[in-house]
Amino acid sequence: MLHFFVTLIQKIYLYNMRKILLVLILGGIWGTAFAQNLDREAFLDAEVRFMGGNYSLALERYDEFIRAWPNSPYAADARYRRAVSLYRLGRKDEAYEAFSAIEARYWSTKYRAYVPFWMGVIEYDRGEYPKALDHFNALAKKPPDQDTLVQSLVYLGKTYAALEQYETAEETFETYISTVKKMNIPLESDPSVLLFLSDMYDKLSEPEKMVSLWEEIDPAKLDTPVREQLTLRAAGAYLQTGEQVKGIALYEMLENSSRRDVSIAALQHLLEFEQQRGNETAVSTIVIKVENVLRSDPKALADFWLGLGSNAFHAGKYELARDYFIRVQAIRGDEGYSEDVPVFLAEIIFREGDTARAYQTLADAESRVKGDKTLLYIRMGWYSLLLENWPQARDSLNKAVSLADEAGKKDLADLARIYLAYGLYRSNQADPALSILGSLGDEPDREMRTLLSAELHKSLGQSEKALEEYSAILEISPSNVHARLGILLLYFDKAQYSQLITAAAEMEHRMDLRLLSEQEQFAFNYMQGIALAIQGSYRNAIPPLDRAISLAAFGGDQVSWAEFYRGWSFYRSSQFRDAADSLSGFVKKYPSHPQGYAAAYLAAWSYSRLGEYQNGAAMASQAASIARSGQPSPANAEAEARAWYLEGTLRPFFSDFRGALTALDKAGAVKAPGQQGTSYTIRAAFEKGTVYTLAGQITEADRAYEMVIRNFPNDPLAEEAAYRRGEIMYSAKRYSEAADRFNTYREKYPQGRFADGAVYFAGLSQKALGSTDRAILLWERLISDYKTSRYRFPGLLALAKAYREKQEWELVFNTYTTTLAEFGDRARLAGVDDEAETLRYIMAKLPEKAARLHVAMNKANGVRTAEGRSAALQLARYYITESAQREIGASLADDVIAFRRESPGQAAEAYLLKGDYYGALESWEPAAQAYLDAATAAGDSPQGAKTTGGQDIRSALAPEALFKAARARLRLGRRDSAVEITGTLQRLYPSSTWTNQARRLLEGGQ
C-alpha cells in the first residue's frame, strides 16, 4: 500500500514540476507577464506541503487557496488534494464527503479518475463492502494506470475476503500476482497480499497452491512477522502434500523464533505431526522443548496444553485430549482449578456414550472449581436433560441463570433459560416453557429459542405455528439443521409427502448433508425415502433408503420400516431381483414386523416374476402362515387365503400339481369370523380346474369345474367354468364331449361372456367330428350374431374353408371379401386377398394350380420382377405341358425372354419351354433354334444360378437343351447338325446323363 501511495505522489509531483519549470522558463522570456499569477503560487505552496507529507499544513493551505481563489483553474485539483489530506489525517468521513463532491461537481480536475479508488478505500475501511466492491471492480476493468490497477486488485481481493467469498478473493489475488509479474514488480512489495492469499489457500484447503506461492517468493525480503507467518503456513502445506522433510525443516527453523507465540505454534504443529505418525521419541523431545520455552510461565504452559487438548478434542482424538487436560490440571493445581478442564473432560465422557458419568464428573468438580461456574452448571443441566432427570436439570440450570445474570452474561443466561424451557417441555409443561421463551426477547440465541418454541408448539398440536417458527429460523440461518429436520418431521407426521419431498430437495441444495450427525443423516434419508416411495417415485426412493439403512445404528425401530419401503420400492420399480432378495431378507430378519405379511407376499410375486417359482411358492406359504398367526379378523382371513391362492397358482410352474391342489384347498377352507369364507373360496375351487388341466388330468379338471357350477351357480366364475369344460375337452381332442359342453354352455348362458367362443369352438368340434354342415351353421351364426367378437376373424376363415370344401365358390368368395373389408391388413397378412384372387380364376374355370400361379405372378408385379418371372415360368410350364392352351404358355415364355439381359438364367428356362412348345406342335426347326438359344442363355447365367425347379442352370438345363436341339435336328433329317450338337454336348458336359442319351439317340438313328 505504501509503495502505491509513494508512486502516485511521485507521478503527480513530477507532472506538476514539469509545469512549474515551463512556467519559469516562459516567465524568463516574457518578463512580468505572469507576475500577478498569485493563485498559482499559493497552489504550489500547498503542493510542496502535500508532497512533503505535512498533511495538516497542506490542508490549511488548500483551504486558504479554495477560499481565496474559488474560480482558479487549480481549484478542482486543490479540492482533490484536500480530500486526500483529510484521509491521511484519519478524517475519513470528511474525506468521503469531499471525494463525493468532486465526483459530482468538480470534473475539471485531472485527478478525477482516481476519485473512485479513494472512495472505495474509505468504504472498505467503513465495512461497506458491497459499495467498495462496485468501485474496485470498475477500476479493475478500466484503470487510469497500472499502479491503480494493481492496488484496486489488492483491495478487491480483500473486499471479497471480508465478504467470505473466498474462491473469488483467491482468484483476484492470483490475478494481482500475475499482473505484478508482468510489470516486474517484486511479489514481496506488498506483504499484505501474500498474507491474504496464503489465508485463502488455508481456508480453501489448497496446500499445493500454498507450496507454489512459497517457492516463488524470497522470504528474506519480508519483515520478520510476515515471513514467520508465511513460513508457518508453508510448513503445514508441505506436510499436507506429503513433503514432510521440507515441512519439518521449516517448523524446526521457527521453533527458535524470538517471538514466543511463533515458537510455540511451530512446536505445537510438530507435536501434532509426530503424534499422528506415532513417533514417541520425537514427541518426548518436543514436549521437553515446549516445557523449556515456557518453564518460567506455568500459566502459558497450561494454556499451551489446553490449546492442544482443545484441538485434539475437536479433531475427535478424545484419549489424546484427555491426556492434555490432565496435564493442565496438574500444572494448575487446586488453586488454579477453573471450569474449562472438567467441562472438556465431561464432554469427552459424554461423547464416549456415558452421560451419567459425564454429569458426575462435573458434580465432583463443582466444589473444587474456583471462579466462574456458569458453563459448568449449564453442562450439568444439559446432561441432566439427556438423562431425563428434570428436577436435577432445573436445579443446575437455575444456578446457571443466577450466576450468568449476576455477571451480566446475557448470552449464557439466555442459553440456560432455553435449556430450562426444554426441561419443562419434556416434563409436559409446555405453557411455562413458552412463558420462559417469551421472556427472552429477540436478543442472542434467537435460533435456539425459536427452535424450542417450534418444538413446543408442535407438541401442543399447533402445527401451523410450529411450521411458521421453523421457517423464521431458516430466514435467519438457512443451514439450521434442526429447523429443516423439524419441518420435514412436521410434513411426515401430517402425511404431507409432496411438501416433504420439496423441503428435502431444498435442504440438499442448501447444505452438505455429510456434515450432519449420523442420527440426523438417518432421519433425513429415512423421511425423504419413505415420502418418495409413498408418492410413487420408487427409483428415486431407493438411494436415500439405502443411506438410511447404512446408518442403522442410529435409526432404532425405524430401520425396519426403511428396509421394508426399500424392498417395496424395488418391487414397484420392477427391480424384481433386488426386491426378492430385500423382501425375503426382511421377513427373515423381522418375522413379527407389522409389514411381515406384505413383505413375504411381495417377495413371492418378485420371485415369480424372475421365474423362481419354487422360492415364490415358499414365500407365499410363509405369508399365509404370518397372516394365520395374527388376530382372527376378516382382513387377516382374506390375506391368508390370498397367500395360499398365490402359492397354488405358482406350484404348477414347477410341476408340483399335488402341492398346488393342497394350497388351493387351504385357500378355499379359510373362513373369517362370522363368515362362510373369503373372496378366494370360489377362485380357489375354480383354479383347481386349471391345475388339473395343466397336469393333463382332463376328466378331473372337468369335475372340478362342474363342482364350481354346482356349488356356486350364481357366481361369475360358474359361467367361466362351464365354458372351460368345453375348452379343455377340445384341447384334449375329445370333440364329441367338447361339442356337448359348448352346447350346454350356450343353452345356460345364451348371452354369456363366452358365448361367441362357445359357438366358434363348437363349430371346430363339429368340423373335427366330420359334421361340416353343422360347423357351417354355427360359424354363420357367429358371423351374424357377434359382430365384435374376437373370434370373428378366425370364424370367417374357418367358414370360408368349409364352404371351399363343399365347392360353394360364391359363398367362399363372399366370405373372403367380407374378411378383407372388415380386417384389412390382418386379413391380407393371413393371405385372404390371395385366396380371393385365386378364387376368381377358379370361378373362371381355371384349375387351382394355374390360378395360384396367376395370383403369385400378379402379386409379384408380373414379369418385371424376378419373383414374377419365376411364377410366369411355372405358369408357362403348366399351360405348355398340362393344358390345351399352349399358346398362353408360349406367350408367357416370350415375356420372360424379353428380360434376357437382366436374367439370362430365367430366359434360358423360358427358351427351353418355348422349344417344348414347338416340339408339341412338331415344328422341329423353331424348336431346335429355341433349344439352342436356351443353351446359349444358360451359358450366360451366373455361376450357381438355379431353375424354378431347383436345378443348376449351367450343368443341368444347358445339356438338356443341347440334347433336345440335337433330337429336333435329327427329326428334321439333319443328322450332320445333330452330330455337331452332340459333339458340343460331349465336349462341354461329358459326364451328363443328357450326353449319354444323345449318343444313344444317334446310334439308334443310324
Side-chain angles (χ1 to χ4, degrees):
M1 186 68 182
L2 179 60
H3 168 75
F4 167 70
F5 289 129
V6 170
T7 304
L8 184 61
I9 291 168
Q10 287 174 344
K11 289 176 67 175
I12 297 170
Y13 176 75
L14 291 171
Y15 175 79
N16 283 303
M17 286 308 296
R18 292 191 193 99
K19 292 186 68 177
I20 292 168
L21 290 172
L22 180 61
V23 169
L24 291 174
I25 293 168
L26 291 174
I29 295 172
W30 299 103
T32 60
F34 296 94
Q36 302 300 318
N37 198 354
L38 299 178
D39 62 336
R40 183 189 63 217
E41 294 177 7
F43 177 71
L44 291 176
D45 180 58
E47 288 284 273
V48 170
R49 313 299 180 195
F50 182 87
M51 296 298 181
N54 191 344
Y55 299 114
S56 296
L57 188 54
L59 183 62
E60 290 179 13
R61 294 290 187 267
Y62 286 129
D63 283 339
E64 291 171 1
F65 175 82
I66 292 167
R67 284 194 299 272
W69 291 283
N71 298 318
S72 170
Y74 305 108
D77 291 349
R79 289 182 183 278
Y80 172 81
R81 295 291 204 197
R82 177 182 179 276
V84 175
S85 299
L86 285 168
Y87 178 81
R88 291 296 187 202
L89 293 169
R91 297 159 63 178
K92 295 179 182 178
D93 292 339
E94 295 175 68
Y96 192 80
E97 290 179 10
F99 283 122
S100 298
I102 294 168
E103 186 179 50
R105 296 194 298 276
Y106 300 103
W107 292 7
S108 60
T109 177
K110 58 180 172 291
Y111 305 114
R112 188 171 185 275
Y114 300 98
V115 170
F117 173 79
W118 290 105
M119 294 181 72
V121 170
I122 296 170
E123 288 162 350
Y124 174 81
D125 292 343
R126 288 175 172 178
E128 298 173 354
Y129 301 122
K131 289 182 179 180
L133 207 60
D134 291 339
H135 279 120
F136 294 131
N137 264 319
L139 286 165
K141 292 176 183 175
K142 192 176 180 182
D145 53 44
Q146 286 295 313
D147 287 335
T148 307
L149 169 62
V150 168
Q151 285 306 310
S152 295
L153 288 172
V154 172
Y155 271 101
L156 187 60
K158 291 178 179 179
T159 306
Y160 279 126
L163 290 168
E164 297 184 1
Q165 297 182 31
Y166 300 129
E167 291 88 350
T168 313
E170 176 190 81
E171 183 181 346
T172 305
F173 286 128
E174 288 174 344
T175 302
Y176 164 88
I177 294 290
S178 63
T179 302
V180 297
K181 282 182 183 177
K182 293 176 184 176
M183 297 169 64
N184 293 320
I185 298 174
L187 297 182
E188 301 82 9
S189 61
D190 192 341
S192 69
V193 172
L194 300 178
L195 288 174
F196 266 98
L197 187 54
S198 66
D199 187 44
M200 296 303 101
Y201 291 154
D202 186 50
K203 282 184 166 61
L204 297 172
S205 299
E206 296 176 327
E208 296 84 1
K209 289 188 175 182
M210 182 63 228
V211 167
S212 298
L213 177 66
W214 174 257
E215 293 177 351
E216 202 168 356
I217 64 175
D218 183 359
K221 295 180 180 179
L222 299 170
D223 292 340
T224 299
V226 174
R227 180 177 65 252
E228 290 184 339
Q229 183 65 31
L230 289 174
T231 304
L232 279 172
R233 287 177 178 163
Y238 275 127
L239 291 184
Q240 285 181 270
T241 56
E243 298 188 64
Q244 298 173 355
V245 174
K246 291 182 180 180
I248 291 171
L250 290 179
Y251 279 136
E252 289 176 343
M253 181 178 69
L254 291 172
E255 70 181 50
N256 298 314
S257 170
S258 59
R259 297 170 60 203
R260 194 167 73 175
D261 60 326
V262 173
S263 174
I264 291 300
L267 288 169
Q268 179 176 339
H269 286 300
L270 281 172
L271 183 61
E272 290 174 347
F273 174 73
E274 297 298 353
Q275 283 176 332
Q276 192 171 22
R277 61 179 188 173
N279 189 343
E280 294 299 329
T281 303
V283 168
S284 298
T285 302
I286 295 168
V287 168
I288 292 170
K289 288 181 180 180
V290 171
E291 291 177 340
N292 285 335
V293 172
L294 299 175
R295 63 179 177 273
S296 61
D297 191 347
K299 181 180 183 305
L301 184 59
D303 289 343
F304 174 79
W305 295 124
L306 183 64
L308 280 179
S310 176
N311 290 341
F313 173 83
H314 292 299
K317 301 174 181 178
Y318 299 130
E319 282 302 321
L320 184 60
R322 195 194 320 270
D323 180 59
Y324 288 137
F325 292 135
I326 291 171
R327 286 173 185 248
V328 175
Q329 281 184 327
I331 294 170
R332 287 178 175 175
D334 288 341
E335 293 183 1
Y337 209 120
S338 63
E339 65 177 358
D340 48 11
V341 171
V343 166
F344 269 120
L345 289 172
E347 188 64 16
I348 290 172
I349 295 168
F350 166 67
R351 296 194 179 192
E352 289 174 343
D354 195 341
T355 306
R357 194 159 68 89
Y359 171 84
Q360 194 58 47
T361 299
L362 294 180
D364 292 342
E366 179 183 3
S367 62
R368 299 197 301 273
V369 169
K370 309 298 182 184
D372 190 19
K373 300 181 184 179
T374 307
L375 187 58
L376 181 137
Y377 285 129
I378 288 176
R379 296 309 295 169
M380 287 177 68
W382 177 247
Y383 297 144
S384 298
L385 292 175
L386 296 178
L387 294 168
E388 299 187 0
N389 189 332
W390 315 124
Q392 184 174 277
R394 286 197 297 272
D395 179 61
S396 297
L397 293 169
N398 280 323
K399 289 178 182 177
V401 169
S402 297
L403 290 173
D405 284 342
E406 288 174 10
K409 297 179 179 179
K410 189 174 186 309
D411 54 343
L412 292 179
D414 286 346
L415 178 63
R417 286 189 172 93
I418 290 171
Y419 284 172
L420 194 55
Y422 176 77
L424 292 168
Y425 155 61
R426 293 300 306 274
S427 302
N428 296 319
Q429 300 180 52
D431 291 328
L434 282 171
S435 177
I436 290 176
L437 293 178
S439 69
L440 295 176
D442 293 328
E443 296 284 324
D445 300 312
R446 182 182 173 191
E447 284 185 49
M448 188 178 294
R449 175 183 54 77
T450 309
L451 181 64
L452 182 53
S453 179
E455 293 290 332
L456 289 167
H457 284 295
K458 185 170 70 174
S459 71
L460 293 170
Q462 300 169 2
S463 299
E464 292 184 7
K465 183 65 176 174
L467 183 60
E468 180 182 321
E469 293 188 324
Y470 282 134
S471 301
I473 294 170
L474 296 181
E475 289 179 7
I476 304 168
S477 176
S479 59
N480 188 294
V481 175
H482 300 293
R484 290 199 177 276
L485 288 177
I487 289 174
L488 295 187
L489 189 56
L490 271 177
Y491 288 141
F492 192 81
D493 289 342
K494 295 293 183 181
Q496 296 176 342
Y497 298 114
S498 59
Q499 292 94 323
L500 189 154
I501 291 167
T502 302
E506 173 70 11
M507 186 172 174
E508 283 183 303
H509 175 71
R510 289 278 187 179
M511 45 199 319
D512 185 352
L513 299 181
R514 293 172 298 180
L515 301 179
L516 304 183
S517 70
E518 287 87 347
Q519 191 168 4
E520 290 165 344
Q521 289 185 47
F522 175 85
F524 174 84
N525 287 298
Y526 173 77
M527 290 187 286
Q528 184 190 45
I530 288 183
L532 286 166
I534 291 175
Q535 287 296 102
S537 186
Y538 304 113
R539 289 187 179 274
N540 292 329
I542 293 167
L545 291 171
D546 278 339
R547 290 192 290 271
I549 293 166
S550 71
L551 296 164
F554 306 93
D557 294 340
Q558 292 171 321
V559 174
S560 63
W561 290 94
E563 292 188 26
F564 171 74
Y565 275 103
R566 175 175 175 268
W568 186 55
S569 296
F570 278 133
Y571 175 79
R572 295 302 299 269
S573 58
S574 300
Q575 300 181 62
F576 297 115
R577 175 77 275 156
D578 290 324
D581 294 343
S582 179
L583 292 167
S584 60
F586 177 89
V587 175
K588 185 177 181 180
K589 189 174 181 180
Y590 306 105
S592 59
H593 194 276
Q595 292 296 338
Y597 170 84
Y601 188 79
L602 293 178
W605 271 110
S606 299
Y607 280 125
S608 71
R609 296 297 296 270
L610 294 168
E612 298 178 18
Y613 301 111
Q614 285 180 290
N615 289 335
M619 289 310 302
S621 178
Q622 191 165 353
S625 298
I626 292 171
R628 190 177 188 83
S629 65
Q631 291 293 325
S633 69
N636 279 342
E638 190 75 11
E640 181 188 351
R642 179 170 58 243
W644 290 128
Y645 178 81
L646 176 59
E647 181 188 355
T649 60
L650 292 178
R651 288 193 175 278
F653 284 101
F654 53 95
S655 302
D656 183 9
F657 302 112
R658 183 178 295 279
L661 293 170
T662 300
L664 292 171
D665 282 338
K666 290 179 179 179
V670 175
K671 295 181 180 180
Q675 298 180 7
Q676 294 298 314
T678 68
S679 65
Y680 288 89
T681 301
I682 303 174
R683 294 170 65 180
F686 178 88
E687 196 63 28
K688 289 177 67 175
T690 305
V691 173
Y692 279 125
T693 301
L694 293 171
Q697 300 178 39
I698 303 304
T699 301
E700 288 76 3
D702 185 58
R703 289 173 182 166
Y705 288 132
E706 185 182 17
M707 289 295 293
V708 172
I709 298 168
R710 182 183 306 161
N711 295 332
F712 311 102
N714 298 320
D715 192 272
L717 283 176
E719 178 193 344
E720 187 172 350
Y723 176 75
R724 286 285 185 90
R725 294 184 73 197
E727 196 174 50
I728 60 174
M729 290 300 180
Y730 177 81
S731 297
K733 298 183 180 181
R734 292 163 63 171
Y735 299 118
S736 178
E737 292 169 283
D740 179 63
R741 300 290 189 275
F742 285 126
N743 286 334
T744 300
Y745 172 88
R746 291 170 54 219
E747 289 172 1
K748 190 168 186 178
Y749 305 102
Q751 304 299 321
R753 289 178 296 142
F754 308 100
D756 57 339
V759 173
Y760 172 70
F761 284 107
L764 290 178
S765 300
Q766 294 293 348
K767 182 70 171 60
L769 291 169
S771 301
T772 303
D773 290 338
R774 290 183 180 180
I776 288 173
L777 289 174
L778 287 165
W779 289 328
E780 284 177 340
R781 181 172 181 181
L782 173 68
I783 303 308
S784 64
D785 294 353
Y786 301 97
K787 304 293 185 183
T788 60
S789 170
R790 65 190 179 103
Y791 295 106
R792 184 173 179 81
F793 180 72
L796 283 166
L797 297 182
L799 183 60
K801 186 177 181 181
Y803 284 146
R804 184 165 188 151
E805 288 180 7
K806 295 175 68 67
Q807 296 188 352
E808 296 179 2
W809 306 121
E810 289 289 342
L811 292 175
V812 177
F813 185 75
N814 290 339
T815 304
Y816 281 148
T817 55
T818 298
T819 307
L820 284 167
E822 290 188 19
F823 295 97
D825 290 341
R826 183 182 177 188
R828 281 185 282 276
L829 192 63
V832 174
D833 53 342
D834 292 347
E835 292 298 322
E837 191 65 19
T838 300
L839 196 59
R840 288 180 186 274
Y841 286 104
I842 292 175
M843 292 169 68
K845 308 303 181 183
L846 197 67
E848 183 173 347
K849 180 178 180 181
R852 292 193 179 281
L853 288 172
H854 270 291
V855 171
M857 184 178 70
N858 293 339
K859 191 174 183 180
N861 207 17
V863 293
R864 287 189 292 275
T865 65
E867 293 80 1
R869 290 191 291 274
S870 179
L873 287 170
Q874 295 179 67
L875 191 58
R877 181 174 292 105
Y878 164 77
Y879 277 117
I880 291 170
T881 61
E882 297 183 34
S883 79
Q885 297 176 301
R886 296 189 182 94
E887 292 77 9
I888 297 175
S891 177
L892 286 168
D894 287 336
D895 290 342
V896 174
I897 290 168
F899 289 88
R900 175 174 178 173
R901 180 173 295 180
E902 295 178 23
S903 183
Q906 291 179 316
E909 199 170 353
Y911 276 125
L912 188 65
L913 288 172
K914 195 73 179 292
D916 290 344
Y917 163 73
Y918 285 122
L921 297 177
E922 297 186 357
S923 298
W924 301 115
E925 182 55 38
Q929 187 58 50
Y931 289 137
L932 289 173
D933 288 341
T936 302
D940 295 338
S941 66
Q943 189 71 37
K946 303 293 183 180
T947 66
T948 55
Q951 293 179 306
D952 186 84
I953 289 176
R954 286 192 175 189
S955 62
L957 187 146
E960 180 185 0
L962 289 172
F963 166 76
K964 288 183 176 180
R967 186 178 61 185
R969 288 290 169 82
L970 192 61
R971 288 182 178 177
L972 285 170
R974 296 178 58 184
R975 182 178 178 80
D976 54 343
S977 178
V979 170
E980 182 181 353
I981 294 170
T982 300
T984 301
L985 181 60
Q986 287 177 330
R987 186 176 71 256
L988 296 178
Y989 307 103
S991 60
S992 173
T993 57
W994 295 107
T995 302
N996 293 331
Q997 289 188 51
R999 189 182 302 111
R1000 288 196 297 272
L1001 181 66
L1002 288 175
E1003 291 173 355
Q1006 289 181 346

